[in-house]
Amino acid sequence: MRPKRLWRRFVPLVAAGALALAVTACSGDDGGTESVSSSGEVTGTLRLGYFPNLTHAPALVGVEKGIFAKELGSGVKLEPSTFNSGTTEAEAILSGALDAGFIGPNPAVNTFIKSKGEAIRIVSGVTSGGAALVVKPEITSVEQLRGKTLATPSLGNTQDVALRYYLKKNGLVTDTKGGGDVSIRPQENSVTVDAFKSGAIDGAWVPEPIASRLVAEGGKVLVNEADEWAATDGKFVTTLLVVRTEYLEKNPEIVRRLIAANIAAIDQLNADPAAGQTAANEALDKLTGKPLAAGVVASAWKTLTFTPDPIAKSLFLSAAHQEELGLIEDPKLDGIFDLKILNELLSGAGDPAVSDK
């Protein structure tokens, strides 16, 4: 278990003078290049994406409680944006509208492949766990899913692939148009609970807090995704921190501070889970206009592990599942991880390095 450190400030490992020689000031729609003032202040802009989901709690709390702003420094302008699916956030990253983002492993893989390995690098883990298949209470076995309609957040996203692979493994056929033995209906998480309540869907494979909200509306957990990851001892990556490769090359110190901020937010959540739940719910209230019931947050929190470890093995296995499902072809993922800065920061704090294998 990682030691509990509260709001620790990381000392940048790049000296201001050396950094000033390495970068030059410029600006533009691509986020520009960081610069260093005569007083040593790093300046620049960081456009950051994340979801209003508890699986993105380090981002929720990091932005809401000023952890990110503090770590980035007063010279860095933080421009946060929220998204409802990894697919749309990935499109924003590919278009250059975002510099970095908290995102699921499958959208990260798809973005990397689509750009022929050029567009992004995974620079840190964020969250493990926190996903489940929740169904109507009368459904008690996988075979009873035949003829049913299930929802996922979006076609090809992390939970969508998990559901399709689970069904295939159990002999049930699906296709990308909603046909087959089980109809899969990709839809935004914001409408899934109402669709379940109305009977429009029979269940959904979704991240937290949607899974716990479905349970609160009378659903039951048929599959806890952690049970499907025996190969990684029940651990699987749900949320990663990715950065556009060009931005990383032009803004290494800002990225270093972003990774430090992510670790600081994770430490904050792990040091005081009760306070973390409250802070995350307050952030959700501001973003969505409605807080979650306390019981829903507490239930969801039990399934989440906040960690900078990207659990790389689970990402590669998930990509293999996508390939087996025919959603991607021959995934070449060499170079998708760039954990050098993360491991330097972990080493400086006396923590073990994490693997990209």
Side-chain angles (χ1 to χ4, degrees), residues 131-171:
L133 172 59
V134 182
V135 297
K136 292 180 177 179
E138 60 267 25
I139 299 174
T140 59
S141 69
V142 62
E143 181 57 34
Q144 288 178 300
L145 295 174
R146 189 181 298 274
K148 299 297 192 292
T149 299
L150 304 175
T152 61
S154 62
L155 177 62
N157 100 306
T158 304
Q159 289 77 43
D160 185 74
V161 170
L163 173 58
R164 292 177 190 276
Y165 187 75
Y166 171 78
L167 294 172
K168 183 179 188 296
K169 187 173 64 173
N170 285 279

Side-chain angles (χ1 to χ4, degrees), residues 27-84:
S27 61
D29 293 339
D30 66 351
T33 301
E34 66 188 24
S35 62
V36 180
S37 69
S38 58
S39 63
E41 181 181 48
V42 176
T43 61
T45 299
L46 173 65
R47 299 168 299 178
L48 182 67
Y50 61 103
F51 298 3
N53 285 355
L54 291 181
T55 52
H56 290 226
L60 290 171
V61 176
V63 172
E64 172 65 20
K65 295 301 181 182
I67 300 174
F68 286 7
K70 179 181 178 181
E71 293 289 342
L72 289 170
S74 59
V76 179
K77 181 182 179 183
L78 177 63
E79 297 181 355
S81 301
T82 58
F83 296 80
N84 286 315

